Amino acid sequence: MTHPKKIIIDTDPGIDDAMAIFLALQSPEIEVIGLTTIYGNVYTTLATRNALHLLEVAGRTDIPVAEGSHFTITKGTKLRVADFVHGADGLGNQNFPPANGKPIEQSATDFLTHQARTFPGKITVVALGPLTNIAMAIQSDPNFVQNVGQIILLGGAFAVNGNVNPAAEANIFGDPDAADIVFTCGADVVAIGINITHQVILSDADRDRLAASNGLFSKYLCKILECYFSYHHDAYNTRGVYLHDPTTLLAAVDPSLMTYAEGVVRVQTEGISRGLTLFDNKVKRFGESNEWSDKPSVKVAVTVNAPAVVKLVMDRLMDS
Ligand SMILES: O=c1[nH]cnc2c1ncn2[C@@H]1O[C@H](CO)[C@@H](O)[C@H]1O
């Protein structure tokens, strides 16, 4: 058996983040070497508390949590948090007792650059929130792009509407300037957008099966999922929820669950379409140079084996 892939999860927990973190801990193909926190579903301070709490639930307090940025890469403090999706506490308004643990002294950015330097080419960053910490790592360490193995990110809406507004997906909207830095940095970047994750639905019936199982994680998740289900029912009229973060995590576990196109992604940072991700599929050789010309390519997921993803999520969470 090959060594498990070393993963750092950059996260804003978040109900679907909690699912992804538990799924990661249940996946022998990967080794979670740390969590870094960011605002998005909640503010960063709460994201840190929730990350520590989830590791305590899992009995994995050996995994370090490094706190990330409290503001955007341009020092913006008017953040949009999705408490209407995840509850005021980020975990379905369950009033869990506060975590006992503390984050490490190192910041998220320092943790990311340090780990990438220590294990060159071996670290996969799975980014589940706005990309501020990753962009700060790129800016603060000129070798980070070379050192990091891969960055798999949940973000963007490729050729579909966004979920904040018709233009923008929530993670990219959270810090469009940071996202543009990450997409154009030259690292091995894989983007999983909502064009993919909106195909991966955990149904009401799946939740009933989770609830009936005796798994530690499935039992915990069923408590917090109520809020996430009722949001999806109201906002999308679906009898099920989108598995954004778990799908992205599974792209690290088994890349063959998706297919990818390669090309340059730029992010709109201003105006009514702020947060829009625009992919140049390189089908046309443009006569004039443009804002995509000469930028490094990334991989964008274009198809997904949704039944296989849902099955893997269910099997691993029930077997805990
Ligand atoms: O309608 C929404 N508005 C804001 N954030 C959302 C919404 N739906 C899901 N998410 C959150 O944003 C990421 C995917 O874009 C996921 O982390 C999800 O939890």
Side-chain angles (χ1 to χ4, degrees), residues 9 11-24 40-42 54 82 85-87 90-92 126 128-129 154 163 169-171 194 197-198 200 202 220-221 224-225 227-229 231-232 241-250 313 317:
I9 306 177
T11 175
D12 54 342
I15 294 169
D16 57 329
D17 299 73
M19 295 182 87
I21 290 166
F22 290 158
L23 195 54
N41 296 324
V42 293
L54 292 166
V85 182
H86 300 272
L91 296 172
V126 177
L128 302 178
L154 166 65
N163 58 2
E169 179 278 331
N171 285 344
I194 57 174
T197 58
H198 279 191
V200 186
L202 187 86
Y220 176 93
L221 289 170
I224 68 174
L225 272 168
C227 181
Y228 201 54
F229 268 78
Y231 173 76
H232 282 73
V241 296
Y242 298 135
L243 293 179
H244 302 285
D245 295 341
T247 303
T248 307
L249 191 281
L250 287 182
V313 171
L317 292 177

Side-chain angles (χ1 to χ4, degrees), residues 74-212:
T74 55
K75 304 276 185 288
T77 51
K78 259 178 70 183
L79 308 173
R80 174 184 183 277
V81 298
D83 50 1
F84 49 91
V85 182
H86 300 272
D89 66 354
L91 296 172
N93 291 325
Q94 292 298 304
N95 298 313
F96 293 116
N100 296 313
K102 296 228 171 333
I104 59 174
E105 290 288 316
Q106 227 172 10
S107 70
T109 299
D110 289 348
F111 183 78
L112 286 162
T113 54
H114 177 79
Q115 294 299 326
R117 208 178 308 128
T118 309
F119 303 103
K122 299 282 185 228
I123 302 285
T124 299
V125 178
V126 177
L128 302 178
L131 292 163
T132 319
N133 293 333
I134 322 298
M136 285 170 68
I138 291 165
Q139 289 188 335
S140 73
D141 178 355
N143 294 319
F144 179 72
V145 165
Q146 277 159 27
N147 288 342
V148 72
Q150 192 168 55
I151 301 167
I152 301 180
L153 65 92
L154 166 65
F158 296 94
V160 297
N161 274 174
N163 58 2
V164 172
N165 59 44
E169 179 278 331
N171 285 344
I172 305 300
F173 188 80
D175 196 342
D177 302 277
D180 197 52
I181 291 168
V182 175
F183 277 119
T184 57
C185 74
D188 182 0
V189 172
V190 180
I192 317 294
I194 57 174
N195 48 304
I196 293 294
T197 58
H198 279 191
Q199 297 176 48
V200 186
I201 296 172
L202 187 86
S203 68
D204 287 10
D206 293 329
R207 185 181 55 167
D208 292 344
R209 277 182 57 218
L210 279 183

Side-chain angles (χ1 to χ4, degrees), residues 26-89:
Q26 285 289 97
S27 295
E29 302 86 349
I30 61 179
E31 175 196 1
V32 181
I33 65 161
L35 304 182
T36 53
T37 63
I38 191 62
Y39 61 84
N41 296 324
V42 293
Y43 290 104
T44 304
T45 308
L46 186 49
T48 304
R49 258 188 264 155
N50 287 350
L52 291 163
H53 161 76
L54 292 166
L55 292 175
E56 286 175 15
V57 169
R60 291 301 306 272
T61 51
D62 55 303
I63 297 174
V65 174
E67 185 157 79
S69 183
H70 296 268
F71 35 78
T72 70
I73 195 91
T74 55
K75 304 276 185 288
T77 51
K78 259 178 70 183
L79 308 173
R80 174 184 183 277
V81 298
D83 50 1
F84 49 91
V85 182
H86 300 272
D89 66 354

Side-chain angles (χ1 to χ4, degrees), residues 192-319:
I192 317 294
I194 57 174
N195 48 304
I196 293 294
T197 58
H198 279 191
Q199 297 176 48
V200 186
I201 296 172
L202 187 86
S203 68
D204 287 10
D206 293 329
R207 185 181 55 167
D208 292 344
R209 277 182 57 218
L210 279 183
S213 86
N214 275 323
L216 166 73
F217 295 146
S218 49
K219 283 221 161 323
Y220 176 93
L221 289 170
C222 280
K223 284 193 249 172
I224 68 174
L225 272 168
E226 184 58 45
C227 181
Y228 201 54
F229 268 78
S230 81
Y231 173 76
H232 282 73
H233 188 234
D234 293 347
Y236 296 101
N237 211 12
T238 53
R239 298 229 160 255
V241 296
Y242 298 135
L243 293 179
H244 302 285
D245 295 341
T247 303
T248 307
L249 191 281
L250 287 182
V253 168
D254 182 359
S256 75
L257 291 165
M258 289 162 221
T259 64
Y260 309 86
E262 286 198 32
V264 177
V265 172
R266 296 300 310 264
V267 180
Q268 177 61 269
T269 55
E270 286 165 1
I272 63 165
S273 53
R274 188 175 148 77
L276 179 77
T277 43
L278 255 177
F279 174 62
D280 177 4
N281 62 11
K282 294 188 168 168
V283 171
K284 177 165 190 208
R285 211 175 309 115
F286 291 103
E288 298 151 20
S289 81
N290 59 48
E291 300 291 349
W292 286 254
S293 309
D294 306 322
K295 296 286 185 207
S297 289
V298 300
K299 300 186 190 82
V300 173
V302 288
T303 70
V304 58
N305 183 347
V309 171
V310 175
K311 183 173 187 317
L312 210 46
V313 171
M314 292 286 291
D315 288 350
R316 293 196 171 180
L317 292 177
M318 290 195 299
D319 181 28

